[in-house]
C-alpha cells in the first residue's frame, strides 16, 4: 500500500482503470462473450502512457475516452473489446471505490495506532488527580487518566464508524448507461467485483449513489471533530494560568518572532483548524447527493477535491495528534496546585450529601454548604475551617466525617471500576 497521497496520484488511478478494463475483458471471456485468446492478449499487452493520455484528452475533452484510446493502441485488434457495453461511470465509480477503500484503510490503521497511544497514556495517568472543570470553572476532582479514557472510548467509536463507511463505499458497478445492465452480463460484473475485493451495488442509475460518499466524508468529519475536541482540551490545559499539560516543544523550536519565551500549542491548533476543512467537505458531499435523473456531472468536479483532500487531511491530523500524545508533557505538580486553588471548595457535593444522609432536607443542606463556600471565597478562611466552626454542621457530623469529605482518594475510589 502506498502513502495516502499516492492513492490519489494519476498513476494509481490509471493503474486501477487499466486493471478494471482488463478484468472486464477477462470476465466477458469467462462468460463466453469474447474469445479467451483476446482476453489473454489484452492482459499481456495492455498499457498506457500518462503523457499520451493527457495529450489525447486535450482534443477529446474526455478523460476516459482518452485513456481507452491510448490503451487500445497498445493492444491491437483485441482492443475493440475494451469497455464493450460499459459506460464511463462503471470505470470511474468502481475505481473511486477502490481508492476510497484503500485511503480509508490507511486512516483506519492510523486511528488504531492513536487508540493504542491513548490507551497507554490513560493507564499511565490513571491515578493522576486533577481538577475537573464545567463551564471552565473548577467542579470536582477527576484524574488525567479518566480524561484520556473518555478519548479512548470515543476513538473506539470512531474506528467502528470508519470500518462501517469503508464497507459502505466498497461497492462497484458494471451496469451501463442508466443502470439497466442492458449490454452487460451480471456474471461479468460479479467476476470483476470479486477480483477487486468489492461488492456489486445492488441497484444503480448511471452512477453509484452519492449518499455512500456523503456518509464516508461525514464519518471523516466526525473523526476530525473528535480530534479537534481533544486538541482543544490540550490547548486549554496548556494556558499559562493552568499549565497542566503541554504539547511537545522540540530542540531548536521557536514560539514567537517577537517573544522568545513563548511555547505555543501550534500543532493542537493546527489539528483544531483542519477539522473545519473536513466539516466543509462533508457538507459539499451532502450537496452531491441530489443529482438530476439518472445522473449529472455536477458532483464530479467537487469530488476531485473533497475526497482526496479529506482522506489526506485526516491522515495528517491523526499523525500529528498521535505524536502530540506520545510526547505530551504532563505537569503533575501543576495539577496538584490547581486542585488546591479553591481551598477545598471542590468537595462541596460530598458535604452536601453527607448532611442529607444525616437527615437534613436537600434545600437546608445546600444552604449550609453554599453559605460556607461563599464565605470562604470572600475571606481568607478555608472552606473546611468555616464548616468546622458552623454548629449546624458540627452538631450532625464528626471530625472524621469532615476529614473523609476532604479526602481526594474517597472521591476517586471508583476510577479502577470505570477503567475495568
Amino acid at each position: 500500500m502506498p502513502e495516502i497521497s499516492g492513492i490519489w496520484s494519476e498513476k494509481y488511478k490509471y493503474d486501477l482503470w487499466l486493471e478494471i478494463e482488463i478484468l472486464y475483458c477477462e470476465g466477458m471471456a469467462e462468460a463466453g462473450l469474447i474469445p479467451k485468446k483476446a482476453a489473454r492478449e489484452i492482459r499481456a499487452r495492455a498499457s498506457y502512457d500518462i503523457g499520451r493520455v493527457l495529450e489525447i484528452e486535450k482534443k477529446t475533452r474526455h478523460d476516459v475516452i482518452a485513456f481507452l484510446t491510448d490503451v487500445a493502441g497498445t493492444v491491437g485488434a483485441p482492443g475493440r473489446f475494451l469497455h464493450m457495453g460499459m459506460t464511463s461511470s462503471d470505470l470511474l465509480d468502481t475505481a473511486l471505490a477502490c481508492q476510497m477503500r484503500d485511503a480509508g484503510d490507511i486512516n483506519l490503521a492510523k486511528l488504531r495506532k492513536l487508540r493504542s497511544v491513548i490507551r497507554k497514556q490513560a493507564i499511565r495517568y490513571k491515578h493522576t488527580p486533577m481538577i475537573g472543570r464545567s463551564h471552565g470553572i473548577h467542579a470536582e476532582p477527576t484524574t488525567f487518566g479518566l480524561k484520556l479514557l473518555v478519548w479512548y472510548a470515543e476513538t473506539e467509536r470512531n474506528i467502528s464508524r470508519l470500518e462501517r463507511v469503508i464497507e459502505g463505499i466498497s461497492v462497484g458497478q458494471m451496469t451501463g448507461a442508466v443502470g439497466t445492465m442492458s449490454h452487460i452480463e451480471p456474471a461479468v460484473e460479479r467476476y470483476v467485483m470479486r477480483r477487486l475485493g468489492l461488492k456489486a451495488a445492488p441497484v444503480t442509475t448511471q452512477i453509484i449513489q452519492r449518499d455512500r460518499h456523503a456518509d464516508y466524508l461525514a464519518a471523516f468529519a466526525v473523526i476530525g471533530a473528535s480530534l479537534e475536541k481533544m486538541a482543544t482540551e490540550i490547548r486549554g490545559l496548556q494556558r499559562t494560568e493552568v499549565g497542566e499539560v503541554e504539547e511537545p516543544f522540540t530542540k531548536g523550536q521557536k514560539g514567537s518572532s517577537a517573544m522568545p519565551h513563548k511555547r505555543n500549542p501550534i500543532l493542537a491548533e493546527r489539528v483544531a483548524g483542519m477539522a473545519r476543512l473536513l466539516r466543509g467537505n462533508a457538507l459539499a458531499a451532502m450537496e452531491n447527493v441530489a443529482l438530476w435523473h439518472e445522473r449529472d456531472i455536477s458532483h464530479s468536479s467537487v469530488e476531485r477535491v473533497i475526497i482526496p483532500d479529506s482522506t489526506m487531511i485526516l491522515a495528517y491530523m491523526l499523525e500529528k495528534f498521535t505524536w502530540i500524545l506520545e510526547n505530551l508533557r504532563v505537569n503533575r505538580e501543576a495539577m496538584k496546585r490547581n486542585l488546591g486553588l479553591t481551598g477545598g471548595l471542590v468537595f462541596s457535593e460530598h458535604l452536601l450529601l453527607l448532611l442529607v444522609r444525616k437527615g437534613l432536607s436537600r434545600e437546608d443542606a445546600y444552604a449550609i454548604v453554599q453559605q460556607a463556600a461563599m464565605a470562604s471565597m470572600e475571606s481568607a478562611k478555608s472552606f473546611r475551617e468555616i464548616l468546622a466552626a458552623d454548629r449546624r454542621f458540627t452538631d450532625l457530623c464528626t471530625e472524621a466525617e469532615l476529614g473523609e469529605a476532604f479526602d481526594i482518594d474517597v472521591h476517586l475510589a471508583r476510577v479502577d471500576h470505570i477503567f475495568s
Side-chain angles (χ1 to χ4, degrees):
M1 183 72 70
E3 288 294 319
I4 197 160
S5 60
I7 288 173
W8 301 108
S9 68
E10 291 287 276
K11 183 178 187 309
Y12 198 86
K13 179 185 74 174
Y14 286 141
D15 284 350
L16 277 171
W17 287 12
L18 185 63
E19 182 61 17
I20 290 167
E21 292 287 349
I22 292 171
L23 288 174
Y24 183 70
C25 291
E26 290 175 344
M28 287 195 294
E30 287 281 323
L33 300 174
I34 67 171
K36 290 187 175 180
K37 180 182 178 183
R40 288 195 298 271
E41 289 178 0
I42 290 170
R43 169 65 72 181
R45 299 177 188 170
S47 64
Y48 67 87
D49 179 272
I50 291 178
R52 197 159 54 235
V53 172
L54 296 177
E55 191 62 34
I56 296 170
E57 188 180 350
K58 289 179 182 178
K59 180 179 180 180
T60 63
R61 301 178 68 85
H62 194 292
D63 52 356
V64 173
I65 291 175
F67 176 78
L68 292 170
T69 300
D70 182 47
V71 174
T74 69
V75 173
R80 69 187 187 277
F81 298 121
L82 290 167
H83 208 71
M84 193 171 72
M86 291 172 62
T87 191
S88 295
S89 292
D90 291 332
L91 177 62
L92 296 171
D93 278 5
T94 300
L96 180 60
C98 292
Q99 289 173 293
M100 292 175 74
R101 175 199 60 198
D102 295 347
D105 285 342
I106 289 176
N107 275 289
L108 189 58
K110 293 181 186 299
L111 199 52
R112 286 171 174 155
K113 181 179 179 182
L114 174 62
R115 177 181 61 180
S116 177
V117 171
I118 295 174
R119 183 183 189 277
K120 179 181 177 181
Q121 295 289 56
I123 292 171
R124 179 180 181 183
Y125 298 109
K126 181 179 183 180
H127 294 295
T128 301
M130 67 180 299
I131 188 60
R133 298 170 173 90
S134 58
H135 304 275
I137 307 300
H138 285 204
E140 289 190 340
T142 183
T143 75
F144 189 54
L146 275 177
K147 189 183 292 288
L148 292 167
L149 192 65
V150 170
W151 299 358
Y152 175 83
E154 187 164 347
T155 302
E156 291 216 304
R157 294 193 297 276
N158 281 328
I159 288 170
S160 297
R161 286 185 183 103
L162 190 52
E163 289 173 338
R164 177 183 61 78
V165 296
I166 290 172
E167 181 180 1
I169 203 60
S170 296
V171 298
Q173 65 170 41
M174 297 288 161
T175 56
V178 292
T180 59
M181 304 185 83
S182 54
H183 306 293
I184 296 173
E185 285 290 334
V188 178
E189 181 188 55
R190 289 195 297 271
Y191 175 87
V192 175
M193 299 310 146
R194 184 174 68 252
R195 293 290 301 272
L196 291 172
L198 302 175
K199 293 180 181 178
V203 59
T204 71
T205 56
Q206 190 182 111
I207 60 170
I208 292 171
Q209 299 306 287
R210 260 43 195 178
D211 64 291
R212 294 180 183 272
H213 304 70
D215 192 26
Y216 181 93
L217 291 191
F220 274 63
V222 171
I223 296 167
S226 293
L227 294 173
E228 179 185 17
K229 179 187 80 173
M230 300 171 200
T232 299
E233 182 70 13
I234 289 172
R235 291 165 59 196
L237 296 178
Q238 187 167 333
R239 286 181 300 129
T240 305
E241 303 92 314
V242 179
E244 293 176 354
V245 304
E246 184 181 13
E247 74 170 44
F249 193 84
T250 57
K251 185 177 180 180
Q253 184 175 340
K254 304 292 188 293
S256 166
S257 63
M259 297 166 284
H261 72 278
K262 295 293 292 297
R263 299 208 307 206
N264 303 322
I266 57 169
L267 292 180
E269 289 172 335
R270 192 181 305 167
V271 168
M274 295 178 88
R276 301 167 192 171
L277 294 172
L278 294 178
R279 287 194 289 275
N281 287 352
L283 180 59
M286 292 177 196
E287 296 287 341
N288 277 348
V289 174
L291 302 173
W292 285 21
H293 308 301
E294 274 56 60
R295 78 157 310 189
D296 62 58
I297 203 171
S298 61
H299 65 289
S300 176
S301 56
V302 183
E303 288 176 354
R304 290 169 191 254
V305 175
I306 64 174
I307 295 175
D309 277 12
S310 289
T311 61
M312 290 188 285
I313 287 167
L314 183 60
Y316 181 85
M317 291 169 69
L318 286 167
E319 288 174 10
K320 291 302 177 185
F321 194 70
T322 299
W323 185 81
I324 289 171
L325 284 188
E326 281 179 318
N327 299 281
L328 192 67
R329 298 180 180 186
V330 177
N331 189 336
R332 288 184 172 91
E333 287 304 311
M335 290 178 175
K336 182 178 179 180
R337 180 192 70 232
N338 291 338
L339 262 173
L341 280 179
T342 62
L345 293 179
V346 295
F347 301 113
S348 67
E349 185 182 13
H350 192 102
L351 293 156
L352 165 66
L353 297 178
L354 175 60
L355 290 174
V356 170
R357 284 192 291 269
K358 293 294 185 177
L360 291 185
S361 69
R362 181 177 179 85
E363 290 73 18
D364 289 343
Y366 195 102
I368 293 171
V369 176
Q370 187 182 45
Q371 287 168 15
M374 297 303 111
S376 174
M377 292 171 70
E378 295 166 7
S379 71
K381 292 184 179 180
S382 72
F383 185 40
R384 180 170 180 172
E385 183 181 0
I386 291 171
L387 283 169
D390 190 330
R391 289 290 299 276
R392 295 174 299 172
F393 185 86
T394 56
D395 284 350
L396 295 171
C397 304
T398 66
E399 178 65 29
E401 288 172 326
L402 180 62
E404 183 181 271
F406 285 85
D407 184 351
I408 195 168
D409 291 335
V410 172
H411 290 262
L412 302 177
R414 294 198 173 101
V415 170
D416 287 333
H417 165 75
I418 298 170
F419 266 78
S420 68

